[in-house]
Amino acid sequence: MKKIVTLLTIAAFSFGAQSQSQKLIVKEDAFIQGGNTADTAFGESTPKNLRIFNSNADSKYARITYLKFETPKKLKSVDKVTLHIPLKVYKDDNQPEATFNLEIYAVENDKWRELSITWSGALELGELVASMEVPQSLDGKNQKLEIELDAKIVSQLFNGKKDRKITLALVNSNFNKISSMAPSKEQSPKVASYLMIE
């Protein structure tokens, strides 16, 4: 009898642990671009694409992508948070071994809208929550990335009351002529970025 009770307790604990994981689909996503397009809202004109490239420059090809998520009510912090995003890194035949430098920053400002955000209204970047060197997509297809973020920093972006939003910026600071693109939620819900939180 003791064995059965122990097994049931373990099963219940395991089920409870699994049920704590929650999937947060991106609510808004858009990229911004510099140069003579600094006042163009690409979330409106090309909503199916999210581009990241040479983010520190102020040129036509400087791009940053923003993702906004909404947390459940009364959630005050997360112990683990993982960003799931499909990313295509363009091939460069001149430097086939080069990787794409992806950096993910926390952003305090959640008041942006995907149909109006522009390079001229770029959001101030907060702390770095993750970075990854992503290889080129030799088959030309999206790579399904799972990137664990700094849960402590992400938890500081919301308080479970009035502020339930999380904004992340996808940045390419270490520019080496390698660029990337991700599908937006408008392309298909099946490829939309999401967070897994625990």
Side-chain angles (χ1 to χ4, degrees), residues 74-79 155 158 198:
K74 298 183 180 179
L75 182 70
K76 294 182 179 179
S77 65
V78 290
D79 295 320
S155 294
F158 64 95
E198 296 178 17

Side-chain angles (χ1 to χ4, degrees), residues 38-177:
D39 294 320
T40 301
F42 288 96
E44 184 172 30
S45 59
T46 54
K48 293 188 177 182
N49 299 319
L50 301 170
R51 297 176 181 169
I52 316 160
F53 184 65
N54 197 14
S55 305
N56 289 337
D58 187 9
S59 71
K60 181 181 177 180
Y61 301 104
R63 295 156 179 161
I64 296 173
T65 283
Y66 297 117
L67 306 174
K68 186 191 294 184
F69 303 89
E70 187 169 323
T71 62
K73 291 180 180 179
K74 298 183 180 179
L75 182 70
K76 294 182 179 179
S77 65
V78 290
D79 295 320
K80 183 178 180 181
V81 55
T82 307
L83 174 65
H84 293 251
I85 183 170
L87 192 73
K88 177 181 178 180
V89 177
Y90 288 95
K91 292 191 296 180
D92 186 336
D93 294 332
N94 294 322
Q95 45 177 349
E97 300 300 320
T99 57
F100 176 75
N101 170 243
L102 174 64
E103 296 176 330
I104 303 169
Y105 286 86
V107 176
E108 286 286 351
N109 186 350
D110 301 314
K111 295 181 180 178
W112 59 278
R113 300 302 304 271
E114 63 182 14
L115 296 181
S116 58
I117 185 86
T118 67
W119 185 271
S120 297
L123 306 175
E124 182 179 348
L125 301 180
E127 294 184 77
L128 181 71
V129 294
S131 64
M132 174 182 277
E133 294 295 329
V134 187
Q136 297 175 36
S137 303
L138 299 179
D139 60 1
K141 296 181 180 179
N142 293 328
Q143 303 177 50
K144 295 181 179 179
L145 304 182
E146 297 181 17
I147 309 168
E148 187 167 343
L149 311 181
D150 187 314
K152 184 177 180 180
I153 297 174
V154 172
S155 294
Q156 294 170 359
L157 295 176
F158 64 95
N159 60 20
K161 295 179 182 177
K162 290 183 178 180
D163 183 2
R164 291 172 47 206
K165 306 286 195 308
I166 295 173
T167 291
L168 302 172
L170 309 184
V171 175
N172 172 228
S173 295
N174 186 18
F175 173 60
N176 61 352
K177 298 184 179 179

